[in-house]
Amino acid sequence: RRHLSQKTKPSELARDFAFAFDIDGVLIRGAKALEEGKEALKYLREHNIPWILLTNGGGKSETERVEGLSAQLGIDIHVDQFVQSHTPFKRLVHRYDKVLVVGGDRDKCRHVAQDYGFKDCVMPVDVLASNKSVWPFHRFAQDDFLLSRPLSSEKFDAVLVFNDPRDWGCDTQVIIDVLTSDNGYYGTKSSQLKQTVPIYFSNDDLLWANEYPHPRFGQGAFRRGIETVYKEYSGAELESTIIGKPFLFTYEYAHSVLNDWRRHAFGYTNDVHRVYMVGDNPASDIRGGNGYGWDTLLVKSGVYKDGDKLDSRSKPRAVVDNVLAAVKLAVELEI
Ligand code: G3P
Ligand code: MG
């Protein structure tokens, strides 16, 4: 058995395994980086062990988020080792042209959607700018309307919820107007208010952890609201597609990102044999990692607290205090 203190040869230790880290509640809590997060990433750099970030967060470009995280965590993070909730929306670009983009600060997500390649990216502020009576209680200020764009007469092809909405009321009204429009034409109504446009949510987190001592409602809470209002309004169940952790679509995407990263940054030609998923949310990180066949390590520094119930699908390989303990345990298991 090699001692951890020795400089382990990367090819011996790290060719077969790697890490996928959740962010909120594992490496950071809101604006505050966790010391154990900084130490864990420094340790992995010293031992040449590959890792990626896999977050249900979002709302800005991958480049912008990675710059902020690098500064917060004191380590250079590359955009090729980063997967956020809406990154896999890139795979929908050839299917939809005109999309309603929802969530995030101001019109940041419009630019993210455009950079992904969507041709016509509309935000609720554009709809309100064209007719303020669409939602008379809107919270938009004049300088928000300066960012608005004129609406084309084209039909909407899809609704993409990129991040947590900042005005649930306004976004609920505009989203359901699009979903129940006659074949995607805003301002019309389909017969029996039937859903005519698909909707995608970028994650389903009912809860997530920031600096506040108790978990906060996430995009999953918003989705449940949309589905309840839609059901009351139309009498039908809403058909929605949800990506992000714990869903397969996102884990498959992340697994290929991890193997590409190992190849480009470490020169490994083999696919990774074992991935340790370190997360704070049993419902997303642990359930998703288990479902995809990764080894899961649950930390107590975020949503999960000692004594919380864990159903069979969300049981981790181990529960540890924090991400540094998770890394040390995984390396021990590999030695
Ligand atoms: O929106 C942030 C929240 O959904 C959780 O992010 O990093 O814990 O997956 P994360
Ligand atoms: Mg988290």
Side-chain angles (χ1 to χ4, degrees):
R1 284 169 67 85
R2 270 187 303 284
H3 292 289
L4 282 184
S5 52
Q6 284 168 0
K7 261 237 172 290
T8 37
K9 284 204 219 67
S11 55
E12 286 165 26
L13 184 67
R15 56 170 287 105
D16 297 329
F17 79 106
F19 288 89
F21 293 113
D22 171 45
I23 300 177
D24 289 308
V26 174
L27 298 171
I28 66 173
R29 292 282 304 244
K32 192 175 151 317
L34 301 181
E35 277 317 306
E36 298 83 4
K38 291 182 177 178
E39 277 183 58
L41 298 185
K42 209 160 120 271
Y43 173 89
L44 293 172
R45 182 177 54 190
E46 276 161 24
H47 289 79
N48 279 306
I49 298 171
W51 52 273
I52 61 167
L53 299 180
L54 174 55
T55 175
N56 274 349
K60 53 184 80 166
S61 72
E62 284 73 17
T63 309
E64 187 183 339
R65 183 76 206 273
V66 155
E67 276 161 15
L69 287 166
S70 299
Q72 250 185 311
L73 293 161
I75 190 167
D76 274 345
I77 299 171
H78 196 282
V79 68
D80 290 347
Q81 63 184 129
F82 178 69
V83 178
Q84 61 182 343
S85 59
H86 44 73
T87 310
F89 277 166
K90 290 179 181 175
R91 292 193 172 160
L92 302 174
V93 162
H94 302 295
R95 212 182 301 179
Y96 306 119
D97 290 337
K98 180 171 175 177
V99 291
L100 178 71
V101 173
V102 176
D105 287 331
R106 309 190 73 193
D107 70 338
K108 265 186 192 276
C109 289
R110 185 206 310 273
H111 299 285
V112 178
Q114 266 170 221
D115 292 350
Y116 285 0
F118 291 102
K119 291 196 183 64
D120 186 354
C121 306
V122 180
M123 296 201 81
V125 68
D126 305 331
V127 176
L128 268 287
S130 72
N131 184 339
K132 301 217 180 9
S133 63
V134 161
W135 183 253
F137 318 116
H138 70 80
R139 311 296 299 146
F140 291 120
Q142 201 36 43
D143 61 344
D144 293 313
F145 286 124
L146 294 179
L147 297 171
S148 66
R149 301 232 180 116
L151 294 171
S152 76
S153 55
E154 302 299 315
K155 67 182 183 64
F156 278 96
D157 297 316
V159 176
L160 305 179
V161 183
F162 268 69
N163 191 248
D164 306 77
R166 273 39 176 182
D167 182 345
W168 284 28
C170 178
D171 291 351
T172 298
Q173 180 66 72
V174 174
I175 286 173
I176 294 181
D177 280 347
V178 172
L179 295 178
T180 56
S181 63
D182 180 13
N183 202 17
Y185 291 97
Y186 197 89
T188 64
K189 280 296 162 196
S190 61
S191 65
Q192 286 139 23
L193 300 173
K194 196 169 58 343
Q195 180 183 357
T196 57
V197 174
I199 181 167
Y200 294 77
F201 293 91
S202 66
N203 83 61
D204 203 33
D205 285 354
L206 177 69
L207 301 170
W208 65 291
N210 67 350
E211 301 94 331
Y212 192 73
H214 305 291
R216 304 294 75 196
F217 287 132
Q219 195 182 141
F222 178 66
R223 173 181 70 82
R224 289 161 175 84
I226 290 281
E227 291 186 348
T228 304
V229 170
Y230 177 79
K231 169 92 186 206
E232 290 299 306
Y233 177 50
S234 70
E237 299 294 332
L238 178 66
E239 298 263 313
S240 45
T241 304
I242 314 168
I243 68 166
K245 299 173 288 182
F247 302 106
L248 209 53
F249 188 81
T250 288
Y251 276 86
E252 272 163 358
Y253 189 92
H255 201 79
S256 66
V257 165
L258 175 54
N259 276 320
D260 288 349
W261 174 246
R262 290 171 71 255
R263 204 168 301 119
H264 299 149
F266 294 80
Y268 290 130
T269 51
N270 67 310
D271 275 3
V272 66
H273 295 163
R274 268 173 312 290
V275 180
Y276 291 92
M277 172 84 213
V278 183
D280 70 303
N281 189 332
S284 59
D285 306 316
I286 308 306
R287 197 177 127 203
N290 290 343
Y292 196 64
W294 289 357
D295 285 86
T296 53
L297 301 170
L298 176 60
V299 295
K300 303 178 196 170
S301 52
V303 169
Y304 173 76
K305 289 286 173 276
D306 254 339
D308 285 356
K309 240 172 61 52
L310 292 170
D311 67 35
S312 56
R313 292 184 297 182
S314 310
K315 265 201 181 43
R317 177 164 184 180
V319 179
V320 288
D321 286 338
N322 56 57
V323 62
L324 184 59
V327 164
K328 294 288 173 80
L329 172 63
V331 170
E332 270 299 320
L333 292 169
E334 288 295 321
I335 291 275

